[in-house]
């Protein structure tokens, strides 16, 4: 088939690599630099599994500067454009998805349009009604930063939200490229949208739960490690997403829980509405613990959200830094991904030993082997040294 991928971020690039080799794939992104890097055979995203898959790709991914011609001959068009949360609208910004559908239907009214961008509840049905076009499906992705391609290739499940007539085609499309068999759930688009939002909101809730456990353990001199280990041995609870952190962050969880809360409207949702508040309180509590140590110079160890990712913009450590700035704390940064000498007004020191020597306290949302030598200066709540 001829497949066009619109949006080459984590989701779009993972999908492009997933289908490339099985089908004729064309990618498009509004970012000129991203398209240029792909043409130079350089992966535009720092994600361990994406970089590996990109480098192993047997054929160069074809990208275009204008997708209109590719739309005309496409059988499948996958939309993976960003839908960031808009505080002014109290919901996800779906304008990029809407405008893409509009552009597609100007030149092609037979292709299957698959949306993989996260959407507010009921959005796909609204698009179907708005454009008078039934072949719009919502197939949520459940990938993690740092393992975007491997999660696309070997998902835990595949949820296909589409009209009944199109479900067999879409099921076959993905099954032929999957690296392993997985459960397949056939739903309406609205049900698929709900599954995506509830899944991420549950993960956010679980992170918030174990962070609150860590709050109480820390305040009472309890061993968080032993508490979490014992609780996780209950098979009904398990060991996933139980490692304390400064709070949940990233592209997905914060915006998805806000969107789901908004979608509830007047329907009772006390538990869900408290998750974001819990996360905010956790960040404030972490900063209070740091301030209790009266550090002269706080060293911020790594700005990325998690290992194997280059996402710094939505990382929780940025929120911690903002609160420390308000306390007029002197900050220095260790982040190898930053090549400049300063970042947001703070000195960047990428000689690790110099960084350790100059910091009176080192703050790390996630610790690793490199920073172990600074154990006596290290402040972290990372128990299991894992991102999940």
């Amino acid at each position: 088939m001829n497949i066009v991928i619109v949006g080459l971020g984590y989701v779009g690039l993972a999908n492009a690599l997933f289908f490339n080799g099985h089908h004729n794939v064309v990618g498009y992104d509004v970012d000129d630099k991203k398209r240029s890097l792909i043409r130079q055979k350089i992966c535009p995203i720092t994600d361990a599994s994406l970089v590996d898959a990109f480098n192993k790709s047997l054929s160069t991914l074809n990208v275009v500067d204008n997708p209109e011609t590719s739309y005309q001959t496409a059988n499948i068009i996958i939309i993976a454009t960003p839908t960031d949360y808009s505080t002014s609208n109290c919901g996800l910004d779906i304008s990029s998805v809407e405008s893409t559908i509009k552009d597609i239907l100007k030149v092609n009214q037979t292709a299957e349009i698959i949306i993989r961008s996260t959407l507010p509840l009921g959005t796909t049905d609204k698009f179907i009604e708005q454009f008078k076009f039934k072949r719009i499906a919502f197939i949520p992705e459940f990938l993690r930063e740092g393992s975007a391609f491997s999660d696309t290739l070997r998902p835990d499940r595949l949820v296909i939200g589409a009209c009944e007539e199109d479900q067999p085609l879409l099921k076959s499309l993905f099954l032929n490229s999957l690296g392993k068999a997985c459960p397949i759930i056939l739903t309406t688009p609205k049900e698929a949208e709900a599954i995506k939002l509830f899944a991420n909101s549950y993960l956010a809730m679980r992170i918030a739960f174990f962070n609150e456990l860590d709050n109480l353990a820390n305040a009472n001199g309890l061993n968080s490690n032993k508490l979490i280990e014992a609780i996780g041995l209950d098979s009904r609870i398990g060991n996933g997403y139980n490692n304390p952190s400064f709070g949940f962050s990233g592209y997905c969880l914060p915006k998805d829980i806000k969107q789901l809360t908004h979608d509830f409207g007047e329907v009772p949702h006390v538990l869900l509405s408290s998750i974001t508040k819990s996360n905010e309180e956790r960040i404030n509590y972490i900063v209070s613990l740091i301030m209790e140590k009266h550090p002269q110079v706080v060293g911020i160890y790594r700005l990325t959200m998690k290992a194997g990712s280059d996402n710094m913009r939505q990382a929780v450590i940025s929120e911690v830094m903002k609160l420390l700035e308000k306390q007029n704390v002197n900050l220095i940064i260790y982040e190898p991904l930053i090549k400049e000498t300063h970042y947001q007004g703070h000195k960047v020191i990428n000689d690790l030993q110099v960084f350790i020597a100059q910091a009176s306290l080192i703050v790390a949302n996630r610790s690793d082997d490199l920073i172990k030598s600074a154990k006596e200066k290290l402040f972290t709540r990372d128990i299991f040294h894992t991102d999940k």
Side-chain angles (χ1 to χ4, degrees):
M1 290 188 179
N2 294 325
I3 299 178
V4 179
I5 313 285
V6 185
L8 296 174
Y10 283 91
V11 177
L13 186 59
N15 275 259
L17 294 171
F18 175 74
F19 287 113
N20 199 28
H22 300 275
H23 301 278
N24 300 316
V25 177
V26 171
Y28 170 73
D29 195 283
V30 295
D31 188 337
D32 295 340
K33 182 179 178 181
K34 191 175 289 184
R35 299 196 307 272
S36 176
L37 286 171
I38 292 173
R39 288 191 177 107
Q40 297 172 56
K41 300 185 180 181
I42 300 171
C43 186
I45 298 174
T46 302
D47 176 291
S49 72
L50 276 178
V51 171
D52 184 58
F54 188 93
N55 292 337
K56 288 179 179 178
S57 181
L58 297 178
S59 58
T60 303
L61 181 63
N62 183 22
V63 293
V64 294
D65 295 326
N66 185 333
E68 183 175 318
T69 301
S70 299
Y71 289 161
Q72 293 173 2
T73 57
N75 307 111
I76 303 285
I77 301 173
I78 298 175
I79 301 175
T81 57
T83 53
D84 295 331
Y85 190 84
S86 170
T87 53
S88 60
N89 295 328
C90 296
L92 298 176
D93 181 356
I94 60 171
S95 58
S96 65
V97 178
E98 183 178 18
S99 62
T100 301
I101 295 174
K102 188 180 297 183
D103 290 342
I104 292 167
L105 294 179
K106 287 178 183 176
V107 296
N108 186 334
Q109 296 195 357
T110 60
E112 181 76 31
I113 298 174
I114 300 172
I115 303 172
R116 305 215 77 182
S117 310
T118 304
L119 298 176
L121 195 63
T123 302
T124 306
D125 287 342
K126 290 178 183 177
F127 286 150
I128 290 171
E129 175 62 26
Q130 176 183 344
F131 295 106
K132 308 300 180 187
F133 186 74
K134 290 182 64 176
R135 305 196 70 192
I136 304 176
F138 180 73
I139 301 180
E141 49 75 24
F142 301 100
L143 58 83
R144 300 161 294 170
E145 291 181 39
S147 57
F149 180 74
S150 56
D151 288 345
T152 303
L153 183 64
R154 298 179 179 85
D156 294 324
R157 75 288 204 193
L158 180 63
V159 177
I160 298 175
C163 62
E164 289 186 13
E165 308 93 274
D166 290 344
Q167 287 175 353
L169 166 69
L170 296 172
K171 180 178 176 180
S172 175
L173 173 72
F174 280 86
L175 278 178
N176 290 338
S177 298
L178 288 178
K180 69 166 188 177
C182 71
I184 297 175
I185 312 297
L186 302 177
T187 74
T188 66
K190 194 171 186 177
E191 288 167 340
E193 291 162 352
I195 289 167
K196 169 65 174 178
L197 293 172
F198 271 108
N200 276 352
S201 296
Y202 175 81
L203 295 177
M205 179 188 70
R206 190 175 173 101
I207 293 168
F209 175 89
F210 283 104
N211 280 341
E212 289 198 359
L213 177 155
D214 186 59
N215 288 348
L216 186 66
N218 180 73
N220 286 272
L222 308 176
N223 187 320
S224 293
N225 191 330
K226 290 182 179 179
L227 267 65
I228 295 171
E229 181 182 8
I231 291 167
L233 287 173
D234 187 324
S235 60
R236 297 167 300 177
I237 297 174
N239 292 310
Y241 280 78
N242 62 355
N243 188 24
S245 65
F246 293 166
F248 60 77
S249 61
Y251 288 118
C252 297
L253 302 192
K255 69 180 179 67
D256 289 2
I257 183 60
K258 288 178 182 178
Q259 179 60 57
L260 183 60
T261 302
H262 178 73
D263 285 336
F264 263 84
E266 298 301 317
V267 178
H269 59 288
V270 176
L271 174 63
L272 288 166
S273 64
S274 68
I275 296 172
T276 297
K277 179 65 174 176
S278 173
N279 198 53
E280 292 169 352
E281 291 297 327
R282 172 64 170 183
I283 297 170
N284 289 329
Y285 182 64
I286 290 296
V287 172
S288 71
L289 294 179
I290 294 170
M291 295 305 298
E292 284 176 4
K293 298 180 181 296
H294 305 289
Q296 294 181 334
V297 179
V298 171
I300 303 296
Y301 181 74
R302 302 305 307 266
L303 300 181
T304 53
M305 194 198 83
K306 61 192 298 185
S309 167
D310 63 352
N311 177 21
M312 293 183 276
R313 185 165 55 94
Q314 285 94 350
V316 68
I317 193 66
S318 296
E319 299 303 316
V320 172
M321 287 177 62
K322 289 176 184 176
L323 293 176
L324 290 174
E325 287 170 356
K326 290 181 179 180
Q327 300 287 337
N328 296 315
V329 174
N330 184 14
L331 302 177
I332 60 174
I333 298 169
Y334 176 82
E335 178 48 74
L337 292 177
I338 298 175
K339 304 307 178 185
E340 295 79 13
T341 58
H342 287 78
Y343 178 78
Q344 295 184 351
H346 303 295
K347 189 176 181 181
V348 177
I349 303 173
N350 281 337
D351 183 314
L352 185 58
Q353 296 310 312
V354 173
F355 170 78
I356 292 172
Q358 290 192 13
S360 53
L361 180 71
I362 295 173
V363 173
N365 182 45
R366 288 291 179 241
S367 60
D368 56 31
D369 290 340
L370 287 177
I371 203 64
K372 279 184 177 179
S373 60
K375 185 176 181 180
E376 69 283 355
K377 291 184 176 182
L378 186 62
F379 176 85
T380 185
R381 301 309 300 166
D382 186 358
I383 293 174
F384 301 112
H385 307 293
T386 176
D387 288 319
K388 61 180 180 177

Coordinates of all heavy atoms in Angstrom, one line a residue, residues 40-79:
Q40 N 19.5 13.2 5.3 CA 20.9 12.9 5.5 C 21.2 11.6 6.3 O 22.3 11.3 6.7 CB 21.5 14.1 6.3 CG 21.5 15.4 5.6 CD 21.9 16.6 6.6 OE1 23.0 16.5 7.1 NE2 21.0 17.5 6.8
K41 N 20.1 10.8 6.5 CA 20.1 9.6 7.2 C 20.6 9.8 8.6 O 21.3 8.9 9.2 CB 21.1 8.6 6.5 CG 20.6 8.3 5.0 CD 21.5 7.2 4.4 CE 21.0 6.9 3.0 NZ 21.8 5.8 2.3
I42 N 20.1 10.9 9.2 CA 20.3 11.1 10.7 C 19.0 11.1 11.4 O 18.1 11.9 11.0 CB 21.0 12.5 10.8 CG1 22.4 12.6 10.1 CG2 21.2 12.8 12.3 CD1 23.0 13.9 10.1
C43 N 18.8 10.3 12.4 CA 17.6 10.3 13.1 C 17.3 11.6 13.8 O 18.2 12.1 14.6 CB 17.6 9.1 14.2 SG 16.0 8.9 15.0
P44 N 16.2 12.2 13.6 CA 16.0 13.6 14.1 C 15.5 13.6 15.6 O 15.4 14.7 16.2 CB 14.8 14.1 13.3 CG 14.1 12.9 12.9 CD 15.1 11.8 12.7
I45 N 15.4 12.4 16.2 CA 14.9 12.3 17.6 C 15.8 11.5 18.4 O 16.2 10.4 17.9 CB 13.5 11.7 17.6 CG1 12.5 12.6 16.9 CG2 13.0 11.5 19.1 CD1 11.1 12.1 16.8
T46 N 16.2 11.9 19.6 CA 17.0 11.1 20.5 C 16.2 10.2 21.3 O 15.6 10.6 22.3 CB 17.9 12.1 21.4 OG1 18.7 12.9 20.6 CG2 18.8 11.2 22.3
D47 N 16.0 9.0 20.8 CA 15.2 8.0 21.4 C 15.9 6.7 21.1 O 16.1 6.4 19.9 CB 13.8 8.0 20.9 CG 12.9 6.9 21.5 OD1 13.2 5.7 21.1 OD2 12.0 7.2 22.3
A48 N 16.4 6.0 22.1 CA 17.2 4.9 21.9 C 16.7 3.9 20.9 O 17.4 3.5 19.9 CB 17.5 4.1 23.2
S49 N 15.4 3.5 21.0 CA 14.9 2.5 20.1 C 14.7 3.0 18.7 O 14.8 2.3 17.7 CB 13.6 1.9 20.6 OG 12.5 2.8 20.5
L50 N 14.3 4.3 18.6 CA 14.1 5.0 17.3 C 15.4 5.1 16.5 O 15.5 4.8 15.3 CB 13.5 6.3 17.4 CG 11.9 6.4 17.6 CD1 11.5 7.9 17.8 CD2 11.3 5.8 16.3
V51 N 16.4 5.5 17.2 CA 17.8 5.7 16.6 C 18.3 4.3 16.1 O 18.7 4.2 15.0 CB 18.8 6.3 17.6 CG1 20.2 6.3 17.0 CG2 18.4 7.7 18.0
D52 N 18.1 3.3 16.9 CA 18.5 2.0 16.5 C 17.8 1.5 15.3 O 18.4 1.0 14.3 CB 18.4 1.0 17.6 CG 18.9 -0.4 17.3 OD1 20.1 -0.5 17.0 OD2 18.1 -1.4 17.4
A53 N 16.5 1.6 15.3 CA 15.6 1.2 14.1 C 15.9 2.0 12.9 O 16.0 1.5 11.8 CB 14.2 1.3 14.5
F54 N 16.1 3.3 13.1 CA 16.5 4.2 12.0 C 17.8 3.8 11.3 O 17.9 3.7 10.1 CB 16.5 5.7 12.5 CG 16.7 6.7 11.4 CD1 15.5 7.3 10.9 CD2 17.9 7.1 10.9 CE1 15.7 8.3 9.9 CE2 18.0 8.0 9.9 CZ 16.9 8.6 9.4
N55 N 18.8 3.5 12.1 CA 20.1 3.2 11.6 C 20.1 1.8 10.9 O 20.9 1.5 10.0 CB 21.1 3.2 12.7 CG 21.4 4.6 13.2 OD1 21.1 5.6 12.5 ND2 21.9 4.8 14.4
K56 N 19.2 0.9 11.4 CA 19.1 -0.4 10.8 C 18.2 -0.5 9.6 O 18.1 -1.6 9.0 CB 18.6 -1.4 11.9 CG 19.7 -1.7 13.0 CD 19.1 -2.7 14.0 CE 20.1 -3.0 15.1 NZ 19.6 -3.9 16.1
S57 N 17.5 0.6 9.3 CA 16.5 0.5 8.2 C 17.2 0.2 6.9 O 18.2 0.8 6.6 CB 15.8 1.9 8.1 OG 14.8 1.9 7.1
L58 N 16.6 -0.8 6.2 CA 17.3 -1.2 5.0 C 17.1 -0.2 3.8 O 17.9 -0.1 2.9 CB 16.7 -2.6 4.5 CG 16.9 -3.7 5.5 CD1 16.2 -5.0 5.0 CD2 18.4 -4.0 5.6
S59 N 16.1 0.6 3.9 CA 15.8 1.6 2.9 C 15.7 3.0 3.5 O 15.1 3.1 4.6 CB 14.5 1.3 2.1 OG 13.4 1.2 3.0
T60 N 16.1 4.0 2.9 CA 16.0 5.4 3.4 C 14.5 5.8 3.4 O 13.8 5.6 2.4 CB 16.8 6.3 2.5 OG1 18.2 5.9 2.4 CG2 16.8 7.8 3.1
L61 N 14.1 6.3 4.5 CA 12.7 6.8 4.6 C 12.5 8.0 3.7 O 13.3 8.9 3.7 CB 12.5 7.2 6.0 CG 11.0 7.8 6.3 CD1 10.0 6.7 6.1 CD2 11.0 8.2 7.8
N62 N 11.5 7.9 2.8 CA 11.2 9.0 1.9 C 10.4 10.1 2.5 O 9.3 9.8 3.0 CB 10.4 8.4 0.7 CG 10.2 9.4 -0.4 OD1 10.9 10.4 -0.5 ND2 9.2 9.1 -1.2
V63 N 10.9 11.3 2.5 CA 10.2 12.4 3.1 C 10.0 13.5 2.0 O 10.8 13.6 1.0 CB 10.9 13.1 4.3 CG1 11.0 12.2 5.4 CG2 12.3 13.6 3.9
V64 N 8.9 14.2 2.1 CA 8.5 15.2 1.0 C 8.3 16.5 1.7 O 8.0 16.7 2.9 CB 7.2 14.8 0.3 CG1 7.4 13.5 -0.5 CG2 6.1 14.6 1.3
D65 N 8.5 17.6 0.9 CA 8.3 19.0 1.4 C 6.9 19.4 1.3 O 6.5 20.4 2.0 CB 9.3 19.9 0.6 CG 10.7 19.6 0.8 OD1 11.1 19.2 2.0 OD2 11.5 19.8 -0.1
N66 N 6.2 18.8 0.4 CA 4.7 19.1 0.2 C 4.0 17.8 0.1 O 4.2 17.1 -0.9 CB 4.5 20.0 -1.0 CG 3.1 20.5 -1.1 OD1 2.2 19.8 -0.7 ND2 2.9 21.6 -1.7
P67 N 3.1 17.5 1.0 CA 2.5 16.1 0.9 C 1.3 16.0 0.0 O 0.8 14.9 -0.2 CB 2.0 16.0 2.4 CG 1.6 17.4 2.8 CD 2.6 18.3 2.1
E68 N 0.9 17.1 -0.7 CA -0.4 17.0 -1.5 C -0.3 15.9 -2.5 O -1.3 15.1 -2.7 CB -0.7 18.4 -2.1 CG -2.0 18.4 -2.9 CD -2.3 19.7 -3.4 OE1 -2.1 20.7 -2.7 OE2 -2.8 19.8 -4.6
T69 N 0.8 15.8 -3.3 CA 0.9 14.8 -4.3 C 0.8 13.4 -3.7 O 0.2 12.5 -4.3 CB 2.2 15.0 -5.1 OG1 2.2 16.3 -5.7 CG2 2.3 13.9 -6.2
S70 N 1.5 13.2 -2.6 CA 1.4 11.9 -1.9 C 0.0 11.6 -1.4 O -0.4 10.4 -1.5 CB 2.4 11.9 -0.8 OG 3.8 12.2 -1.2
Y71 N -0.7 12.6 -1.0 CA -2.1 12.3 -0.5 C -2.9 11.8 -1.7 O -3.7 10.9 -1.5 CB -2.7 13.6 -0.1 CG -2.3 14.2 1.2 CD1 -2.5 15.6 1.5 CD2 -1.6 13.5 2.2 CE1 -2.1 16.2 2.7 CE2 -1.2 14.0 3.4 CZ -1.4 15.4 3.6 OH -1.0 16.0 4.8
Q72 N -2.7 12.2 -2.9 CA -3.5 11.9 -4.0 C -3.4 10.4 -4.3 O -4.4 9.8 -4.7 CB -3.1 12.7 -5.2 CG -3.4 14.2 -5.1 CD -2.8 14.9 -6.3 OE1 -2.2 14.3 -7.2 NE2 -2.9 16.2 -6.3
T73 N -2.3 9.8 -4.1 CA -2.1 8.3 -4.4 C -2.1 7.4 -3.2 O -1.8 6.2 -3.3 CB -0.8 8.2 -5.2 OG1 0.3 8.6 -4.4 CG2 -0.8 8.9 -6.5
A74 N -2.4 8.0 -2.0 CA -2.3 7.2 -0.8 C -3.5 6.3 -0.6 O -4.6 6.7 -0.9 CB -2.2 8.2 0.4
N75 N -3.2 5.1 0.0 CA -4.3 4.2 0.4 C -4.6 4.4 1.9 O -5.7 4.3 2.4 CB -3.9 2.8 0.2 CG -3.5 2.5 -1.2 OD1 -2.3 2.2 -1.5 ND2 -4.4 2.5 -2.1
I76 N -3.5 4.7 2.6 CA -3.6 5.0 4.1 C -2.9 6.2 4.4 O -1.7 6.5 4.0 CB -2.9 3.8 4.9 CG1 -3.6 2.5 4.5 CG2 -3.0 4.1 6.4 CD1 -4.9 2.2 5.1
I77 N -3.5 7.1 5.2 CA -2.8 8.3 5.7 C -2.9 8.3 7.2 O -4.0 8.3 7.8 CB -3.4 9.6 5.1 CG1 -3.3 9.5 3.6 CG2 -2.7 10.8 5.6 CD1 -4.1 10.7 2.9
I78 N -1.7 8.3 7.9 CA -1.7 8.3 9.3 C -1.3 9.7 9.8 O -0.3 10.3 9.4 CB -0.6 7.3 9.8 CG1 -1.1 5.9 9.4 CG2 -0.5 7.4 11.3 CD1 0.0 4.8 9.7
I79 N -2.1 10.3 10.7 CA -1.9 11.6 11.3 C -1.3 11.4 12.7 O -2.0 10.8 13.5 CB -3.2 12.4 11.3 CG1 -3.8 12.6 9.9 CG2 -2.9 13.8 11.9 CD1 -5.1 13.3 9.9

